[in-house]
Amino acid sequence: LTARSLPAVQSDERLQPLLNHLSHSYTGQDYSTQGNVGKISLDQIDLLSTKSFPPCMRQLHKALRENHHLRHGGRMQYGLFLKGIGLTLEQ
């Protein structure tokens, strides 16, 4: 139905500017700026893991604490997550 009505929509001069710039517009939240970013220390990780981590990262943190080991994929994901929440490479 949309494919059949597309030629009529494309020929409408009022919609041309909107259609031309549709692929370049983004109406979602801008994640490139870091607002409300606080300092997270290594000491806070255990507390944050129970309250604020997403379930997948909570499970990885729990497995790391219990087994003192994560497989390669888990290490990569967990490391990138910790970097994303503000821990430095040294921490």
Side-chain angles (χ1 to χ4, degrees):
L1 181 62
T2 304
R4 281 185 266 149
S5 63
L6 191 59
V9 170
Q10 286 180 333
S11 64
D12 190 349
E13 294 176 10
R14 298 171 297 167
L15 295 176
Q16 278 301 322
L18 177 67
L19 292 175
N20 290 338
H21 299 292
L22 189 61
S23 65
H24 301 294
S25 62
Y26 176 69
T27 59
Q29 185 176 352
D30 183 15
Y31 292 104
S32 64
T33 60
Q34 294 185 2
N36 301 340
V37 175
K39 293 288 184 179
I40 295 177
S41 68
L42 198 56
D43 301 332
Q44 296 172 312
I45 294 297
D46 286 329
L47 178 64
L48 287 174
S49 70
T50 59
K51 297 165 93 175
S52 303
F53 279 17
C56 55
M57 292 300 126
R58 186 178 300 145
Q59 182 63 30
L60 285 175
H61 181 78
K62 180 181 174 188
L64 181 62
R65 284 294 186 197
E66 290 175 358
N67 303 326
H68 304 286
H69 176 74
L70 290 176
R71 294 180 66 178
H72 177 72
R75 279 194 311 273
M76 295 301 291
Q77 289 298 315
Y78 191 57
L80 289 172
F81 173 75
L82 292 176
K83 179 182 176 186
I85 64 172
L87 288 180
T88 62
L89 182 62
E90 292 79 24
Q91 290 175 328

